[in-house]
Amino acid sequence: MSVGLLFGCSSDENTNQNTSVSTNNSSQSEEVAEDSVRITISINEGEEYVTEEVIQIEEGDILMDVMEENFYIETAHDGQYITSIERVAASDEEKTAWMFFVNDEMATVGASDYELSPGDVVVFDLQPWE
């Protein structure tokens, strides 16, 4: 399984999904300012839209730090894997995991090791892992 996968060993208490998910994803086409990144949270390869933020960063900011500062997230394995974003949780039972892509490519390192660059477009998507 690729290192870019952010799956977790979530417990039953982490499997509740947010019921206020939207399917509108129209703002992704807007450009990102030179000192910012766009982070989109979605489900099933963008079929459902959870939220999106444009966040000012400095060169070299770590993705996990930016996520913790700007979104409600839960992690497992000493903060190495994201198990829930905005109260939408991955599920071992449903075999889903949070995966992330930067500039339309799956990351080759985890979010705690990924250094952001201004203008990056990041998508965290809850997907089946089988």
Side-chain angles (χ1 to χ4, degrees), residues 3 60-64 80 100 108-116:
V3 178
D61 277 356
I62 302 298
L63 179 55
M64 183 68 85
Q80 294 297 307
F100 80 96
T108 58
V109 297
S112 59
D113 295 318
Y114 192 89
E115 287 188 24
L116 291 166

Side-chain angles (χ1 to χ4, degrees), residues 105-126:
E105 299 207 11
M106 182 176 280
T108 58
V109 297
S112 59
D113 295 318
Y114 192 89
E115 287 188 24
L116 291 166
S117 296
D120 279 346
V121 175
V122 179
V123 175
F124 278 87
D125 192 71
L126 184 63

Side-chain angles (χ1 to χ4, degrees), residues 79-93:
Q80 294 297 307
Y81 299 105
I82 294 176
T83 58
S84 178
I85 304 174
E86 297 296 296
R87 294 180 173 78
V88 178
S91 168
D92 287 341
E93 197 173 278

Side-chain angles (χ1 to χ4, degrees), residues 1 4-7 96-101 106 123-130:
M1 197 168 252
L5 298 180
L6 292 180
F7 63 92
T96 58
W98 283 105
M99 301 177 201
F100 80 96
F101 304 82
M106 182 176 280
V123 175
F124 278 87
D125 192 71
L126 184 63
Q127 300 178 356
W129 45 267
E130 273 199 333

Side-chain angles (χ1 to χ4, degrees), residues 15-25 28 40-51 84-91 94 96-99 101 123-128:
T15 59
N16 295 331
Q17 297 231 342
N18 184 345
T19 57
S20 62
V21 174
S22 167
T23 57
N24 182 359
N25 204 7
Q28 282 188 351
T40 303
I41 313 300
S42 61
I43 301 171
N44 292 328
E45 298 180 23
E47 284 181 13
E48 295 179 62
Y49 170 82
V50 177
T51 190
S84 178
I85 304 174
E86 297 296 296
R87 294 180 173 78
V88 178
S91 168
E94 295 177 15
T96 58
W98 283 105
M99 301 177 201
F101 304 82
V123 175
F124 278 87
D125 192 71
L126 184 63
Q127 300 178 356

